[in-house]
Amino acid sequence: MKSLSTDVVVIGGGSTGVGVVRDVAMRGYRTILVDRVDLAQGTSGRFHGLLHSGGRYVVSDPRSATECAEENTILTRIQANAIETTGGYFVATHVDDPAWGDTWAKGATDTKVPFEEVRVADVLKAEPRINPKISRAFKVLDGSVDGWQLVWGAARSAMAYGGQVLTYHRVTKIEREGDRVGAVICTDDKTGEEVRIECHFVINCAAAWGGQIAAMAGCHDVQVVPGAGIMIAMNHRLVNSVVNRLVYPADGDIIVPVHTVSIIGTTDHKAADVDRLGISREEVQQMLDCGELLVPGFRESRALHAWAGARPLVKDSRVSAEDTRHMSRGMSIIDHAERDGLKGLLTIAGGKLTTYRLMAQHVVDEMCAQLGETRPCRTAEEACPGAEDGTTYVITHRLHEREEDRLDDQILCECELMSRRMFVKALADQPRGSFDDLRRQLRLGMGPCQGGFCSTRATGVALETGHIDIERATGLLRLFLANRWIGLWPILYGDQVRQTALDNWIFAGTLDIEHLPADQG
Ligand SMILES: Cc1cc2nc3c(=O)[nH]c(=O)nc-3n(C[C@H](O)[C@H](O)[C@H](O)COP(=O)(O)OP(=O)(O)OC[C@H]3O[C@@H](n4cnc5c(N)ncnc54)[C@H](O)[C@@H]3O)c2cc1C
């Protein structure tokens, strides 16, 4: 068994975990983050892509609304390269009560969420595709956020402060030393090796899996209710800014423009198994109907991909355990010293990706208080690597970058303008990574062809670089296509069936993909 030693182990590499490891490292502690898979492969990579202005919660969850508004400003400053400042609208469609706008506006004023009531004619000019029958509109500071860029930015910042990040390290046990936490035991799933990390403190950021981690330390049942929701990416930017329905939060009431696509979402129901989130035909139809209400003709554009994520909602005694839409979106910290008599373990869950930095600040403040130390939080003051110049991204940023320094470089993915140099560098940085790990950072295969053309090119280049052998190359390609398929089959209708059939002919017909060797380690 391999042995490591540190001050603080952070479990979970989603937005909360990387926020915590960054904060802990910046306060001068030795720290190691472990995740059972790649960073942001949990809910932080399976969300809607909205940098909340707070507008969504001004009536239903006022505290979250204010937190979102404040964190929106901070994140736009410290993680500018992960954010597109699209702005957003709340619009009353012809089936919504325009008078509800008064309740909403009062909520926004009370919660200090910046907004402005705007003329319908001006909204229709800015958003020519949206429902011309809207009767009222408010402008807000919603934005679009790339969860993978945000998570990797915070992780790189932690590493710059000496923090370690161990992906594919699955926690299997938490050892106690008397009434304190003593060590975390993990399995390195890439090598099979057991790793023991001796530590003084553990912060459990495993979100929807947080209850499993607490149980590994012998704590009483921690009830994190997974509130599952689906999202669908359509193949165009149907809107230029985030478009929300001016209603109490409901299913399918937001369209977010993210890079080259627009995402409609979401639903909300209690998931039976957080590792197997299904996408039903009914939910897909419901989302398309909702899209149609905001953007007439929505169904005529091509649905590219569907996915589901689970909100880590801490059980709230005010509502039934089945009713996840109305559970608090606020953050919860569980002090296991007080609750279970185990010192040195805190669990944090809830919140939103938009409020991840604040969640980290609260839990690390609590850790410092328990250790009897005063070390102030500085995460709001310093930009993460890559965001130092404060420039937020725009839809055409890859085109600009290509014109600046990559005109001589081969394009591997036309949809997302991903070049050979970008791919080779990412592969060298993450030699044990799968093509999906690289996809999350480069957007390989995320555009309209869904990997139909670029994935074979990328496989060839990976082989050429000498980083991997032929068996691993074809194994990774098979795994990549199998994973893409999970998000394709629920939306197979219309033009997407034609695209999928074409891809299938390429892979099965010309490559006989099913019979290629498959080392996916
Ligand atoms: C459908 C949906 C849409 C959403 N849309 C938005 C939005 O638009 N904007 C917004 O701000 N928020 C949104 N949210 C909320 C937001 O996505 C989450 O609050 C946030 O991503 C949670 O991050 P996290 O780090 O707490 O959890 P996660 O990202 O799930 O991280 C938990 C990590 O723990 C790891 N883990 C689990 N078990 C183990 C183990 N045994 N050992 C090691 N690691 C382990 C997992 O692999 C995972 O990476 C949405 C949520 C959902 C479900």
Side-chain angles (χ1 to χ4, degrees):
M1 184 188 285
K2 186 168 156 184
S3 286
L4 298 172
S5 167
T6 194
D7 297 327
V8 183
V9 172
V10 179
I11 301 174
S15 55
T16 311
V18 295
V20 170
V21 76
R22 173 175 189 243
D23 198 333
V24 169
M26 285 178 80
R27 295 194 207 204
Y29 293 100
R30 295 178 308 146
T31 182
I32 298 177
L33 176 143
V34 287
D35 196 292
R36 62 178 189 165
V37 282
D38 193 23
L39 294 185
Q41 206 174 324
T43 310
S44 302
R46 313 186 64 76
F47 77 125
H48 202 161
L50 171 60
L51 181 73
H52 284 279
S53 59
R56 182 168 173 72
Y57 301 114
V58 294
V59 178
S60 64
D61 195 345
R63 187 167 168 192
S64 291
T66 307
E67 287 172 355
C68 283
E70 290 169 359
E71 289 302 304
N72 178 308
T73 308
I74 295 172
L75 293 192
T76 306
R77 193 172 63 236
I78 67 165
Q79 299 216 270
N81 59 338
I83 289 163
E84 185 182 354
T85 49
T86 56
Y89 293 105
F90 278 76
V91 296
T93 71
H94 57 290
V95 299
D96 303 324
D97 175 9
W100 200 78
D102 297 333
T103 311
W104 185 91
K106 181 178 181 312
T109 307
D110 292 348
T111 52
K112 298 191 172 60
V113 169
F115 74 98
E116 178 196 349
E117 181 149 18
V118 284
R119 289 186 335 138
V120 165
D122 292 340
V123 180
L124 295 178
K125 207 165 157 196
E127 295 291 350
R129 284 180 189 253
I130 71 167
N131 190 341
K133 292 191 211 149
I134 60 170
S135 58
R136 202 169 177 187
F138 294 91
K139 198 171 182 177
V140 292
L141 295 175
D142 281 339
S144 171
V145 55
D146 183 320
W148 297 302
Q149 292 298 330
L150 176 133
V151 164
W152 275 95
R156 289 195 182 101
S157 169
M159 290 188 254
Y161 276 91
Q164 261 184 285
V165 173
L166 303 178
T167 53
Y168 294 99
H169 281 61
R170 186 169 38 89
V171 174
T172 54
K173 196 174 167 194
I174 296 179
E175 283 183 0
R176 291 171 172 240
E177 263 173 29
D179 64 351
R180 283 205 70 83
V181 157
V184 171
I185 313 295
C186 316
T187 304
D188 177 343
D189 279 335
K190 290 282 179 179
T191 62
E193 190 179 27
E194 296 281 297
V195 182
R196 181 174 186 277
I197 314 175
E198 211 173 82
C199 59
H200 310 300
F201 220 101
V202 173
I203 304 185
N204 171 13
C205 307
W209 299 267
Q212 296 172 13
I213 299 293
M216 287 177 200
C219 296
H220 299 120
D221 204 15
V222 170
Q223 300 231 350
V224 186
V225 181
I230 76 151
M231 285 129 300
I232 303 176
M234 310 303 283
N235 70 336
H236 287 298
R237 294 261 290 207
L238 297 168
V239 286
N240 300 313
S241 38
V242 177
V243 177
N244 305 262
R245 259 178 80 191
L246 185 62
V247 289
Y248 193 88
D251 287 355
D253 56 354
I254 314 177
I255 303 177
V256 185
V258 176
H259 293 282
T260 53
V261 302
S262 341
I263 303 175
I264 177 87
T266 170
T267 52
D268 202 336
H269 64 270
K270 186 183 168 197
D273 179 352
V274 68
D275 286 309
R276 282 184 188 73
L277 301 174
I279 298 178
S280 69
R281 275 172 196 274
E282 291 73 29
E283 278 179 302
V284 169
Q285 292 310 318
Q286 182 194 4
M287 287 304 100
L288 297 175
D289 286 344
C290 293
E292 199 68 33
L293 189 58
L294 285 166
V295 174
F298 190 84
R299 279 176 174 276
E300 282 156 38
S301 58
R302 178 154 63 96
L304 284 185
H305 206 86
W307 63 94
R311 298 171 186 85
L313 304 174
V314 176
K315 195 169 162 187
D316 183 331
S317 56
R318 288 170 302 174
V319 290
S320 110
E322 305 300 319
D323 180 13
T324 53
R325 168 73 68 207
H326 297 99
M327 271 186 188
S328 168
R329 255 65 178 156
M331 55 193 89
S332 310
I333 294 176
I334 300 171
D335 174 3
H336 293 281
E338 200 179 66
R339 182 177 181 269
D340 304 293
L342 178 61
K343 292 188 187 135
L345 176 65
L346 291 169
T347 291
I348 180 154
K352 278 160 288 297
L353 185 125
T354 304
T355 55
Y356 90 92
R357 191 212 61 82
L358 182 66
M359 292 172 71
Q361 177 176 339
H362 285 321
V363 77
V364 181
D365 279 350
E366 177 60 28
M367 180 190 84
C368 290
Q370 293 196 3
L371 294 173
E373 291 175 346
T374 312
R375 300 195 193 188
C377 174
R378 292 190 300 108
T379 52
E381 291 156 26
E382 201 174 293
C384 290
E388 294 87 347
D389 68 1
T391 312
T392 52
Y393 73 75
V394 287
I395 169 80
T396 49
H397 75 110
R398 284 204 168 161
L399 204 53
H400 291 308
E401 286 156 17
R402 179 153 176 81
E403 283 176 345
E404 262 170 30
D405 66 356
R406 284 175 219 149
L407 276 178
D408 57 342
D409 198 0
Q410 182 192 358
I411 288 287
L412 297 186
C413 171
E414 284 96 350
C415 307
E416 296 291 339
L417 286 179
M418 186 206 73
S419 72
R420 172 189 276 257
R421 212 181 296 161
M422 290 160 77
F423 181 72
V424 170
K425 182 178 179 314
L427 193 62
D429 290 347
Q430 248 182 303
R432 298 199 314 174
S434 68
F435 289 166
D436 270 301
D437 296 344
L438 304 184
R439 169 182 67 79
R440 282 184 279 277
Q441 291 181 56
L442 302 171
R443 300 188 60 79
L444 165 73
M446 290 185 69
C449 86
Q450 286 291 296
F453 299 99
C454 53
S455 58
T456 41
R457 288 186 201 136
T459 307
V461 170
L463 193 59
E464 241 176 73
T465 59
H467 284 298
I468 55 177
D469 63 19
I470 180 78
E471 294 231 331
R472 186 160 148 74
T474 53
L476 289 181
L477 175 62
R478 281 181 57 174
L479 179 65
F480 181 79
L481 294 174
N483 285 339
R484 289 281 85 192
W485 176 244
I486 295 171
L488 281 171
W489 74 263
I491 39 107
L492 279 186
Y493 67 91
D495 285 344
Q496 188 56 44
V497 179
R498 291 186 197 99
Q499 176 70 52
T500 308
L502 173 64
D503 292 348
N504 195 41
W505 286 326
I506 294 172
F507 291 113
T510 64
L511 279 179
D512 193 17
I513 188 105
E514 300 212 339
H515 298 102
L516 291 176
D519 169 7
Q520 293 164 359

